[in-house]
Amino acid sequence: MLVHICCSVDSHYFLQRIQEEYPEEKLVGFFYDPNIHPYNEYRLRYLDVEYSCKKLGIELLEGPYNLEQWLKKVKGLENEPEKGDRCTVCFDDRLETSVKKAIELGHDKFTTTLLISPKKSQDKLEKIGAQLTEKYACEFIFKDYRSGSGTQTQGEVVKEHSLYRQNYCGCLFGLTQQREQQKKLMDEMFSPISNQILPESIESRLELYKKRDDLEEQNIPYKIIKQRFLNYRLLSGTMKIDKKIAPSYFLCYSVLNRKKMNGRIEYEKDEIAYLNRDEVKVLSLKIFNEIGNSSYKTVKDLIFNPPTFESELNIRNKITNNPYGLSAIVIIDEVIDGKYEIDLNAVTYEDVKEVII
């Protein structure tokens, strides 16, 4: 039997039940989910499914990540609600590709772990499965493992095996609606040109779950816990000196009250310039290198090859004796006297992240 897999949260318990009910069947997992976006989220979910299938002793195959084709199929349905027509088109695509893969491998049965997800319509999945059974003569196995205490047991299994519990279905359009309703920043879509790994970004989660896999391999005890913290995203930032753009780097947690300020150097101490408005601090790249023990030659080099986020926090702490201070700290090639104009669009917000202990 080929089992289409959407994510480990839905698949692990589902696969356990299928193994129990069909002990004679050779199960093959098929991860085909071009709807998942961005790509690093897709990689993270595949990594977690791989981890889950390995624990269960189930072979896993990866389907193509044909996002562009998927986007064309759901064009015009972007504003459909969860469980609406966009989801139906998505189910059609994923299940038809899965049944074709089942036939290619010589299987006479197929199913999907989407059936256990509380956010998916079992009725729609059952109807699509029946249509595909008739079309391809490959039996769709409908199982309702979420009724009764199934959903609760599923959650317990996820926690027991430290599986990645994603906070959106995977679809860009579903995520957009979800974050708008929550009035939350859609930071899953942030990926800096510098490739710096930001707190509670998809990239940071990917690193965390790779570490989980390493600890499992080495049989080292661990636990994944959650921590509440102040998160930060820089949306844009520019500096002008005497109306000329100056290459500038804004240290993490830099914010302005009104996103804009004009000012001049009020005084300098230890080669750090303090502007006369909004507690802004400006320092040369030379001083930044000394404080951070780095060797950047230009600010542009710093912009495209920044230190880690944690290193920036340490640098901020050395400058202000407060790693989570919110004063804007700007690095430029050379500090000169003149009129400073800063446009800074950045946000801080309460967030929760997972850490391994």
Side-chain angles (χ1 to χ4, degrees):
M1 185 192 304
L2 182 126
V3 183
H4 166 258
I5 296 176
C6 54
C7 63
S8 63
V9 169
D10 290 339
S11 69
H12 201 90
Y13 176 61
F14 187 94
L15 288 168
Q16 284 179 330
R17 293 293 303 273
I18 288 288
Q19 282 179 321
E20 292 170 1
E21 284 201 43
Y22 296 85
E24 304 303 319
E25 287 285 340
K26 180 186 185 311
L27 300 183
V28 173
F30 182 51
F31 188 83
Y32 174 65
D33 301 285
N35 59 303
I36 298 174
H37 190 76
Y39 183 69
N40 276 338
E41 178 72 16
Y42 171 87
R43 292 273 22 120
L44 172 52
R45 296 194 192 190
Y46 177 77
L47 173 80
D48 209 45
V49 168
E50 190 176 45
Y51 163 84
S52 165
C53 285
K54 187 175 180 180
K55 277 182 169 289
L56 295 169
I58 293 174
E59 179 185 355
L60 176 65
L61 303 176
E62 182 180 8
Y65 183 66
N66 49 358
L67 174 64
E68 290 186 9
Q69 293 178 34
W70 183 85
L71 288 171
K72 289 177 182 177
K73 290 179 180 179
V74 299
K75 186 176 181 180
L77 302 171
E78 295 86 350
N79 296 320
E80 282 288 306
E82 189 86 18
K83 296 185 180 181
D85 290 343
R86 185 184 62 251
C87 291
T88 303
V89 173
C90 185
F91 296 159
D92 284 338
D93 173 54
R94 291 150 83 188
L95 290 184
E96 184 156 24
T97 299
S98 297
V99 72
K100 287 178 179 178
K101 175 59 70 172
I103 293 169
E104 176 190 324
L105 297 174
H107 294 286
D108 60 358
K109 300 180 187 69
F110 77 106
T111 188
T112 176
T113 62
L114 289 166
L115 288 166
I116 201 172
S117 172
K119 292 187 175 182
K120 309 304 178 198
S121 169
Q122 286 186 334
D123 290 340
K124 284 186 177 182
L125 290 165
E126 186 174 20
K127 288 177 183 177
I128 294 169
Q131 291 167 359
L132 293 173
T133 294
E134 185 175 346
K135 182 177 179 179
Y136 291 99
C138 184
E139 183 184 2
F140 178 69
I141 303 299
F142 175 83
K143 290 293 176 183
D144 177 12
Y145 292 140
R146 74 187 190 203
S147 61
S149 61
T151 301
Q152 180 181 343
T153 305
Q154 177 190 15
E156 293 168 355
V157 167
V158 168
K159 191 172 183 179
E160 176 188 352
H161 295 286
S162 299
L163 300 175
Y164 168 53
R165 188 188 291 274
Q166 66 272 6
N167 57 17
Y168 69 104
C169 72
C171 165
L172 167 64
F173 308 115
L175 174 64
T176 302
Q177 293 175 7
Q178 184 175 321
R179 292 292 175 265
E180 286 177 352
Q181 291 169 1
Q182 296 170 330
K183 296 182 179 179
K184 289 180 63 177
L185 185 71
M186 196 165 69
D187 55 12
E188 290 86 355
M189 295 298 147
F190 280 75
S191 186
I193 57 173
S194 64
N195 290 321
Q196 185 185 59
I197 295 177
L198 302 175
E200 192 43 20
S201 63
I202 293 169
E203 291 76 17
S204 70
R205 296 176 206 163
L206 189 53
E207 283 197 339
L208 182 138
Y209 282 93
K210 284 180 178 178
K211 183 178 179 182
R212 174 206 62 184
D213 291 357
D214 290 341
L215 294 172
E216 287 273 351
E217 286 288 334
Q218 299 172 53
N219 200 28
I220 298 175
Y222 70 93
K223 187 171 181 61
I224 296 177
I225 63 167
K226 292 184 177 182
Q227 288 184 346
R228 192 168 296 278
F229 75 112
L230 182 68
N231 210 340
Y232 172 82
R233 290 293 185 271
L234 171 66
L235 307 183
S236 63
T238 58
M239 172 181 276
K240 292 181 182 179
I241 305 176
D242 293 332
K243 298 186 177 181
K244 293 181 180 179
I245 288 286
S248 50
Y249 186 85
F250 291 81
L251 214 59
C252 63
Y253 290 97
S254 292
V255 297
L256 291 177
N257 286 332
R258 295 179 178 83
K259 299 183 180 180
K260 292 186 178 184
M261 69 82 65
N262 299 319
R264 292 182 176 275
I265 297 174
E266 187 171 47
Y267 66 98
E268 294 186 49
K269 182 180 180 182
D270 299 328
E271 299 188 73
I272 296 174
Y274 294 77
L275 302 193
N276 59 350
R277 291 186 182 176
D278 278 357
E279 302 84 39
V280 176
K281 300 163 184 64
V282 181
L283 58 154
S284 69
L285 184 64
K286 173 178 172 291
I287 299 305
F288 177 84
N289 281 333
E290 290 178 5
I291 296 173
N293 193 28
S294 53
S295 56
Y296 294 104
K297 292 181 170 48
T298 66
V299 167
K300 286 185 179 179
D301 184 25
L302 172 60
I303 291 170
F304 289 99
N305 301 282
T308 65
F309 198 89
E310 292 72 19
S311 296
E312 285 196 28
L313 282 177
N314 289 332
I315 293 170
R316 173 175 280 278
N317 190 35
K318 289 178 181 177
I319 295 171
T320 65
N321 292 319
N322 183 2
Y324 288 100
L326 300 178
S327 298
I329 299 176
V330 193
I331 297 92
I332 56 179
D333 286 308
E334 184 179 357
V335 176
I336 60 174
D337 194 26
K339 181 182 178 182
Y340 286 76
E341 299 174 64
I342 298 176
D343 285 295
L344 176 59
N345 186 5
V347 292
T348 58
Y349 52 103
E350 188 177 294
D351 206 351
V352 176
K353 63 181 177 180
E354 291 183 319
V355 295
I356 288 180
I357 58 172

